[in-house]
Amino acid sequence: MNQMTLGQRIAALRRQKDLTQEAMAETLSVSPQAVSKWENDVSCPDIMLLPQLAKMLGVTVDTLLCGEQEPETRLVPAKQRKNPDEMILKVSIDTTAGDRMRVNLPLALFKAGLVMGDMQFNGQNMMQQIDFDQILRLVDSGVIGKLVEVDSAGDHMEVWVE
């Protein structure tokens, strides 16, 4: 997000929040055309709108203006945590042999598979080394984001929970 213009960041963040330009405009008491001009870098939001715009988009004013990103891994305060059963486990593996595996799985389904003992990772030695029970304990304690990153003999694996 750092390489984006202000308008591109506003557009991307608005889409992430499933907001239309019209809904954003109404909340900020501006015209939809004004939002369109911001997103196309024709003009910029009034400085007095920046705190309200940042809050609406769920970022800081610094992130909105500069593209600073949140840390990849973070501890969410108890009052702000999502129900872990509503979260997604994401696994990405790239091997030197050219194999690519991408898994996006509801955490509730993953937990059920662990309990039933049906989680098989055939041929994925990297994944067999991961303690998924520990990952679930981390999530239950409020840790989210990138939880595991492994590079081994040119192979690369990441495990995220969001």
Side-chain angles (χ1 to χ4, degrees):
M1 196 181 284
N2 290 354
Q3 302 294 334
M4 294 178 164
T5 66
L6 173 60
Q8 290 169 334
R9 276 192 295 280
I10 291 171
L13 292 165
R14 176 183 58 76
R15 288 184 194 107
Q16 286 176 6
K17 294 286 184 181
D18 288 324
L19 289 170
T20 63
Q21 288 182 341
E22 293 76 16
M24 178 180 276
E26 183 176 337
T27 302
L28 296 172
S29 300
V30 298
S31 70
Q33 292 82 4
V35 174
S36 177
K37 286 180 180 181
W38 300 342
E39 292 183 356
N40 289 299
D41 293 304
V42 174
S43 67
C44 294
D46 184 274
I47 194 167
M48 298 304 289
L49 286 176
L50 293 178
Q52 188 178 355
L53 180 58
K55 184 176 181 180
M56 175 188 297
L57 296 173
V59 297
T60 65
V61 172
D62 284 345
T63 299
L64 184 62
L65 293 176
C66 303
E68 296 173 13
Q69 296 181 345
E70 293 183 15
E72 290 181 325
T73 306
R74 60 194 181 280
L75 177 63
V76 178
K79 292 181 180 180
Q80 297 175 3
R81 291 181 193 160
K82 283 197 232 177
N83 178 342
D85 289 340
E86 297 172 359
M87 300 175 84
I88 302 290
L89 174 78
K90 297 181 176 189
V91 179
S92 171
I93 297 177
D94 295 312
T95 69
T96 54
D99 297 326
R100 292 177 46 126
M101 182 175 94
R102 302 290 183 267
V103 176
N104 294 316
L105 191 62
L107 200 54
L109 184 59
F110 181 76
K111 283 181 183 180
L114 281 179
V115 169
M116 293 171 24
D118 287 342
M119 298 304 289
Q120 297 289 325
F121 302 113
N122 296 332
Q124 298 297 336
N125 291 334
M126 294 177 82
M127 287 193 58
Q128 292 173 349
Q129 303 300 318
I130 304 298
D131 183 349
F132 285 101
D133 288 325
Q134 179 63 27
I135 287 176
L136 293 176
R137 285 192 290 278
L138 285 169
V139 172
D140 287 340
S141 68
V143 179
I144 63 170
K146 185 190 296 184
L147 302 183
V148 176
E149 182 172 17
V150 178
D151 285 302
S152 175
D155 295 337
H156 182 80
M157 179 182 69
E158 293 182 3
V159 178
W160 292 73
V161 175
E162 298 177 343

